[in-house]
Amino acid sequence: MNEEAAGLNPSSYAPQEKASSPRSKFWLWGTVAIVTIVAIGGIVAGVVLSRHKSSSSSTSTGGGGSNKNSSSSDPSSFTKNPALKNSFYGFAYTPLGAILPDCGATQDGVIQDIQLLSQLTTRIRTYGSDCNVSSLVLNAIKQTQVDMTVFLGIYISDNDTVYERQRDLTFTALQNFGVDHVAGLTVGNEVILDRLTLVGSQNPNDTTGIAAAEFLKDKISDVRSTLSNMSFSKTIPVGYADAGSYFNTDILEAVDYAMANVHPWFADVTIDQSASWTASYFQSTDIDLAASTTKNPPFYIAETGWPTNSSTTAAAQNQAGSPASDANLQFFIDNFVCQANQNGTGYFFFEYMDEPWKTTQYGGVEGYWGLFDSNKQLKNITIPDCTHK
Ligand SMILES: *[C@@H]1O[C@H](CO)[C@@H](O)[C@H](O)[C@H]1NC(C)=O
Ligand SMILES: *[C@@H]1O[C@H](CO)[C@@H](O)[C@H](O)[C@H]1NC(C)=O
Ligand SMILES: *[C@@H]1O[C@H](CO)[C@@H](O)[C@H](O)[C@H]1NC(C)=O
Ligand SMILES: *[C@@H]1O[C@H](CO)[C@@H](O)[C@H](O)[C@H]1NC(C)=O
Ligand SMILES: *[C@@H]1O[C@H](CO)[C@@H](O)[C@H](O)[C@H]1NC(C)=O
Ligand SMILES: *[C@@H]1O[C@H](CO)[C@@H](O)[C@H](O)[C@H]1NC(C)=O
Ligand SMILES: *[C@@H]1O[C@H](CO)[C@@H](O)[C@H](O)[C@H]1NC(C)=O
Ligand SMILES: *[C@@H]1O[C@H](CO)[C@@H](O)[C@H](O)[C@H]1NC(C)=O
């Protein structure tokens, strides 16, 4: 399948690994009828990442009109933007400058993000701990004193060095900043997807899928025992995130919660169907599978959203003919957010802000999923006003 026509998945790879992984990877969006296959390695080969310099400077200076007081000496006192409403169950969040080797995330930048996010939601999830992200986020919540909990990501690649580094950084953050605002530790992102992709499979029940779950269970149990050795004041749930169709019962029996990416854009659903498709796909593929296990862990939508722009005309619309646009992001928000709240669905809207490094590295719609652009300016959208859990 043509790479550009297929569209790139913005979100399937943890940021920590994207910058350093030279090998070809494939994204498989599995539904019964629709399979989107994308080769990424070839596209990224030779691309020199220079995102960090520009993104960190925009972090410190680009706060923009929505939040001029964010670098005041008291981060807990900041001007609210009346256009923002606390209507979202949760948000997927990656700070600028969070990917090795080009770290650059700053405490001021993350404080500003948390100030903005706290006007939209009370929950965020992160993808990894490199570049001190877990500490920066927990410290920002502490400094701003906002009502916010975080599911911290511990990224896993096929290299244990990466896992151990991420785990240690996360536990250092918990030690230094406490666990009051920690809702969970998400151990691994799309590990089953990646392992199946390497062998050309889409079936999480096959031997590769089960082996991947066994591999993950080792890490999950390592995190659990580290947690129990540290005897924190509360029990921290340990979970796992993958694309919606890559869970098996083996992994679901092992986690306290699961998180599934459910992307109508990549499933080539029309914008008109996007919200209802997301709800029914998540129910039939993920919730029902979890319900068939004895553990029946809570399941969240790890990512859902709609892109607003594309770096190529070929990827400017999905194969159902629905464009990446502010208007379609608005449509998806209008038809998903308050309805999902009412239905009791836990979801992390993808995502807080545009990530320019993804445009550089992957092209397509990759870098354009934010409610805010990369200068932290709210796009041309109206935030609905409704309550959430
Ligand atoms: C910044 O904070 C000061 C003092 O709290 C306030 O007077 C001022 O209006 C704020 N500025 C903006 C742009 O909100
Ligand atoms: C990580 O961030 C925390 C919170 O800002 C800070 O105290 C710590 O010094 C940082 N560590 C490194 C290595 O930058
Ligand atoms: C793991 O990754 C590190 C850093 O990227 C590298 O130095 C090391 O050789 C890798 N180890 C294995 C076993 O691949
Ligand atoms: C994997 O097994 C579950 C039940 O254990 C089933 O619901 C699901 O459809 C299977 N997936 C595939 C791709 O065969
Ligand atoms: C937890 O503590 C026990 C007893 O001190 C030790 O054997 C084990 O290695 C520790 N586990 C971890 C993951 O730190
Ligand atoms: C949309 O993408 C094009 C191509 O990458 C870029 O030139 C343009 O600045 C983007 N527009 C916005 C509003 O980000
Ligand atoms: C909410 O539930 C209704 C009734 O089951 C369903 O039709 C709708 O698609 C759901 N919407 C969302 C966004 O969850
Ligand atoms: C903002 O969105 C509204 C409603 O979709 C549209 O009418 C208006 O033209 C847009 N404004 C800009 C500057 O794009």
Side-chain angles (χ1 to χ4, degrees):
M1 190 181 296
N2 173 295
E3 293 161 11
E4 291 192 339
L8 288 163
N9 178 21
S11 49
S12 52
Y13 307 107
Q16 285 68 21
E17 284 310 284
K18 287 181 177 173
S20 57
S21 176
R23 69 193 161 89
S24 284
K25 294 180 103 178
F26 293 84
W27 160 253
L28 280 76
W29 179 263
T31 66
V32 175
I34 306 155
V35 179
T36 301
I37 303 176
V38 179
I40 287 183
I43 298 170
V44 306
V47 174
V48 177
L49 291 179
S50 55
R51 67 189 162 73
H52 161 55
K53 302 287 185 295
S54 55
S55 57
S56 56
S57 67
S58 78
T59 297
S60 46
T61 60
S66 55
N67 199 359
K68 294 200 172 66
N69 270 352
S70 63
S71 56
S72 88
S73 57
D74 179 4
S76 71
S77 149
F78 56 98
T79 308
K80 306 284 197 296
N81 180 346
L84 305 181
K85 314 276 183 219
N86 201 313
S87 299
F88 291 78
Y89 183 86
F91 262 92
Y93 171 53
T94 302
L96 294 172
I99 295 92
L100 286 173
D102 297 319
C103 292
T106 62
Q107 189 64 77
D108 280 353
V110 174
I111 283 173
Q112 184 179 42
D113 294 339
I114 296 297
Q115 289 171 336
L116 289 170
L117 281 160
S118 72
Q119 298 172 63
L120 293 166
T121 188
T122 56
R123 275 178 208 88
I124 54 175
R125 66 175 289 242
T126 61
Y127 289 82
S129 302
D130 282 340
C131 303
N132 205 20
V133 162
S134 298
S135 287
L136 293 173
V137 168
L138 289 181
N139 192 31
I141 295 171
K142 180 181 172 193
Q143 303 278 323
T144 54
Q145 297 173 31
V146 296
D147 177 11
M148 182 72 77
T149 60
V150 55
F151 291 83
L152 293 169
I154 298 176
Y155 185 77
I156 293 179
S157 71
D158 48 7
N159 182 334
D160 277 358
T161 314
V162 174
Y163 161 70
E164 284 161 15
R165 182 179 72 228
Q166 298 252 338
R167 176 199 63 195
D168 295 349
L169 282 163
T170 302
F171 280 107
T172 299
L174 300 186
Q175 261 172 326
N176 289 338
F177 299 101
V179 297
D180 288 356
H181 295 275
V182 178
L185 298 181
T186 311
V187 181
N189 188 59
E190 299 194 337
V191 172
I192 300 176
L193 167 90
D194 284 352
R195 292 191 165 209
L196 288 175
T197 301
L198 283 174
V199 301
S201 166
Q202 294 169 66
N203 184 354
N205 303 328
D206 72 13
T207 51
T208 304
I210 299 301
E214 292 302 319
F215 166 81
L216 285 164
K217 282 157 74 174
D218 263 7
K219 307 295 189 243
I220 287 164
S221 116
D222 179 54
V223 167
R224 283 196 207 284
S225 77
T226 309
L227 276 172
S228 88
N229 278 10
M230 292 173 81
S231 27
F232 288 116
S233 56
K234 69 174 190 190
T235 304
I236 311 285
V238 180
Y240 173 67
D242 209 317
S245 60
Y246 287 87
F247 288 88
N248 54 39
T249 54
D250 202 34
I251 190 67
L252 291 172
E253 295 285 9
V255 292
D256 300 319
Y257 65 91
M259 293 182 162
N261 295 348
V262 184
H263 278 297
W265 168 271
F266 288 109
D268 291 317
V269 171
T270 63
I271 186 63
D272 285 348
Q273 298 295 312
S274 56
S276 59
W277 176 86
T278 300
S280 70
Y281 184 92
F282 180 54
Q283 178 70 43
S284 61
T285 310
D286 298 314
I287 300 272
D288 290 351
L289 182 62
S292 77
T293 66
T294 50
K295 184 129 187 185
N296 192 13
F299 229 128
Y300 307 103
I301 296 179
E303 298 181 354
T304 193
W306 196 270
T308 61
N309 193 14
S310 168
S311 58
T312 57
T313 47
Q317 53 181 49
N318 70 8
Q319 292 194 30
S322 291
S325 64
D326 286 357
N328 280 348
L329 173 58
Q330 181 75 65
F331 186 96
F332 184 67
I333 287 174
D334 288 347
N335 287 277
F336 180 80
V337 171
C338 297
Q339 293 82 345
N341 293 350
Q342 201 147 28
N343 288 359
T345 307
Y347 62 87
F348 293 82
F349 206 88
F350 189 82
E351 62 179 325
Y352 161 63
M353 70 183 286
D354 286 351
E355 299 189 63
W357 71 275
K358 290 186 177 177
T359 300
T360 308
Q361 192 166 345
Y362 303 106
V365 297
E366 290 285 328
Y368 296 109
W369 288 74
L371 262 63
F372 294 88
D373 67 20
S374 56
N375 292 314
K376 305 188 190 184
Q377 299 295 327
L378 188 63
K379 291 178 182 174
N380 184 22
I381 50 172
T382 303
I383 307 292
D385 198 354
C386 56
T387 58
H388 64 84
K389 270 204 289 191

